[in-house]
Amino acid sequence: AQTVTQSQPEMSVQEAETVTLSCTYDTSESDYYLFWYKQPPSRQMILVIRQEAYKQQNATENRFSVNFQKAAKSFSLKISDSQLGDAAMYFCALGGGKSTFGDGTTLTVKP
Amino acid sequence: SQTIHQWPATLVQPVGSPLSLECTVEGTSNPNLYWYRQAAGRGLQLLFYSVGIGQISSEVPQNLSASRPQDRQFILSSKKLLLSDSGFYLCAWLVRGYSGELFFGEGSRLTVL
């Protein structure tokens, strides 16, 4: 069975600073995909970034980047230049349609 | 463009009453559709998925059922709600060509009293 663990239930960051959200996972698959989703207070879940396990290069989307350590089964999300609009719950997920989700990290951005 | 609609957005129901949550996708055909439930402050639990009309797979034994009467319609139902059915229900569509990205609806919040 696949598992995803987010060990930080809550995180806070000062506006314009950088924050890193942690995620570890376990799977017996050799090829898989990892995702970070954002769920703002309006509640619609949206994709932030995806990483293909066979790619060694870490994915980047504007201010969002990941640190993917395949051997350690770690997949952290770094948010640079944090903005008030980044405040949300962030979910790490493993897989595709039948994704396994972590319990989420609530990110607070302080002005 | 593709969109996904869920309704109702909010629902308060007494224990023992029936339930019907509807999800409709626009802008795509033959989508893979999913129902997830999110308990308060928790991650998402996959309940059902469907790869086509009339094809339903259940991931977790529970008091709920799902149906797919049309290609772009996915319905979550219950004959008799339990307190434990309370939660936030999300319908999602598997985006093709993006290696497993899910596109979510806005969700339906169910409170069972």
Side-chain angles (χ1 to χ4, degrees), chain A residues 8-72:
Chain A
Q8 306 155 317
E10 298 178 349
M11 292 282 286
S12 66
V13 63
Q14 206 69 35
E15 196 175 5
E17 297 293 311
T18 296
V19 64
T20 298
L21 308 184
S22 301
C23 173
T24 58
Y25 63 93
D26 192 23
T27 179
S28 58
E29 303 290 331
S30 57
D31 192 16
Y32 49 89
Y33 294 87
L34 292 157
F35 306 88
W36 278 98
Y37 289 92
K38 172 184 178 182
Q39 189 177 39
S42 64
R43 306 293 273 185
Q44 185 164 22
M45 190 93 72
I46 57 173
L47 179 72
V48 175
I49 199 166
R50 75 174 67 80
Q51 174 77 44
E52 297 157 286
Y54 67 87
K55 288 188 176 180
Q56 293 185 348
Q57 185 174 4
N58 289 324
T60 299
E61 289 286 343
N62 300 315
R63 297 182 295 106
F64 299 86
S65 61
V66 299
N67 182 6
F68 174 49
Q69 302 291 328
K70 190 172 183 179

Side-chain angles (χ1 to χ4, degrees), chain B residues 3 7 11 19 25 28 30 33-34 36 40 42 45 55-56 72 82 85 87 94 97 103-104:
Chain B
T3 58
W7 68 91
L11 196 60
L19 171 73
V25 179
T28 186
N30 195 29
L33 297 174
Y34 303 81
Y36 281 87
R42 299 298 301 276
Q45 177 188 35
Q55 300 179 66
I56 307 295
R72 286 171 282 181
L82 305 173
D85 292 325
L94 184 65
F103 186 73
F104 287 89

Side-chain angles (χ1 to χ4, degrees), chain A residues 1-6 23-29 32-37 45 75 90-104, chain B residues 34-37 42-47 49 59-60 94 99-102 104:
Chain A
Q2 297 179 329
T3 61
V4 176
T5 302
Q6 293 179 248
C23 173
T24 58
Y25 63 93
D26 192 23
T27 179
S28 58
E29 303 290 331
Y32 49 89
Y33 294 87
L34 292 157
F35 306 88
W36 278 98
Y37 289 92
M45 190 93 72
F75 182 60
Y90 288 82
F91 291 94
C92 178
L94 168 66
K98 295 173 66 175
S99 290
T100 300
F101 285 79
D103 283 346
Chain B
Y34 303 81
W35 277 112
Y36 281 87
R37 176 168 61 196
R42 299 298 301 276
L44 278 65
Q45 177 188 35
L46 178 62
L47 301 176
Y49 71 94
E59 290 294 305
V60 181
L94 184 65
S99 306
E101 172 188 348
L102 288 169
F104 287 89

